[in-house]
Amino acid sequence: MANQRDVIIACDFKCADETIQFLDRLTRIRDEVISCDNYRIGTGRPFVKIGMELFYAEGPEMIKLLKKRGHKIFLDLKLHDIPNTVKKSMQVIGGYGVDMVNVHAAGGVRMMQAAKEGLMLGAARFADKPKLIAVTQLTSTDEETLHKELLIDRPMNEVVRQYALNAREAGLDGVVCSAFEAAEIHEVCGADFLTVTPGIRFVENTNDDQKRVMTPAQAKLAGSDYIVVGRPITAADRPIDAYTRCKEEFL
Ligand code: C5P
């Protein structure tokens, strides 16, 4: 079965007020837009990503608030600790009812298996189980950091491929990676293994701090299953236009 594909908005805001203000603006305008026949973006509330900054500021209440408003949620906390601690923490996270959550693949296969066990225990009462994905290498880690600081002497693409294989062996659903790596990861891990790809920009955008970027249309061709888009939507003059354009290019 083909993977579900979607655009995930990275809500990198400081607090709940800022986040809700942004989403209110987006959905209010969007509801009007949806009533026009020529838009094909569906009726669901946008899939959103909550990262560490917002979660540490607002805690689980933030998740309840967004769930109540009907958003799907990717909780991007990138857990990395000993297997027992990760399992217990994931059990708590599973109880939140989020749709996607992640760990660092650098924690190894046992840690990822423990994460999955904990998450499934925590999410036992939900019919739709959350997806568990792994960060292969941070996009802020370059070859030089890999070799000189982390003392990993293999090339980056080999490391990413092996970490993705480890994640699959541990029973995870996919990885966070660059869209440039999506095709190779599908090749080695299978077409149904999810690739969730940040680093998305429209042709006219600046790259900000992202090094290797693709447009939503290019990410589609590259085989990304989900694109994670922050500033091109959140900092746009008209976020709804940017979100709609992402959906139309990618889906
Ligand atoms: O604003 P921008 O589109 O660059 O946001 C991308 C989002 O994806 C941010 O929330 C960032 O933390 C996240 N991310 C990333 N690279 C990774 C993992 C996550 O850019 N490797």
Side-chain angles (χ1 to χ4, degrees), residues 20 23-24 26-27 45-48 63 65-73 97 99:
I20 297 302
L23 291 172
D24 270 350
L26 192 72
T27 23
R45 292 285 170 107
F47 200 143
V48 296
I63 294 173
L65 193 63
L66 293 176
K67 269 177 65 80
K68 232 186 272 168
R69 296 166 61 97
H71 292 280
K72 283 183 142 192
I73 301 168
D99 300 277

Side-chain angles (χ1 to χ4, degrees), residues 105-234:
V109 173
R110 267 188 55 225
M111 187 207 77
M112 289 191 275
Q113 283 167 338
K116 172 101 184 189
E117 282 168 27
L119 186 64
M120 290 306 130
L121 284 173
R125 68 194 159 97
F126 299 110
D128 285 336
K129 303 300 178 202
K131 302 281 185 213
L132 179 59
I133 58 175
V135 176
T136 50
Q137 281 294 327
L138 293 171
T139 40
S140 52
T141 305
D142 57 15
E143 297 266 353
E144 195 181 340
T145 312
L146 198 69
H147 304 322
K148 294 202 173 139
E149 293 177 25
L150 305 180
L151 302 185
I152 296 173
D153 57 9
R154 304 291 186 90
M156 179 66 83
N157 65 333
E158 225 179 278
V159 176
V160 167
R161 197 169 51 220
Q162 182 60 43
Y163 283 22
L165 282 166
N166 291 348
R168 196 190 57 169
E169 186 190 332
L172 269 58
D173 300 291
V175 288
V176 183
C177 63
S178 154
F180 290 89
E181 293 150 359
E184 190 178 352
I185 286 174
H186 280 139
E187 209 177 289
V188 293
C189 295
D192 58 351
F193 193 70
L194 299 175
T195 53
V196 179
T197 65
I200 301 297
R201 291 293 179 271
F202 294 121
V203 269
E204 72 277 14
N205 285 155
T206 60
N207 287 7
D208 300 305
D209 50 354
Q210 297 284 9
K211 296 230 164 64
R212 294 191 305 152
V213 301
M214 278 196 195
T215 65
Q218 288 167 336
K220 176 183 182 174
L221 287 177
S224 295
D225 297 296
Y226 291 87
I227 51 172
V228 178
V229 190
R231 288 160 289 184
I233 296 175
T234 57

Side-chain angles (χ1 to χ4, degrees), residues 76-109:
D76 179 17
L77 297 183
K78 302 186 182 73
L79 274 67
H80 187 181
D81 207 317
I82 59 170
N84 186 54
T85 304
V86 169
K87 179 177 176 179
K88 296 278 164 62
S89 308
M90 274 294 176
Q91 191 166 347
V92 177
I93 290 174
Y96 294 161
V98 293
D99 300 277
M100 191 181 280
V101 64
N102 59 2
V103 292
H104 268 289
V109 173

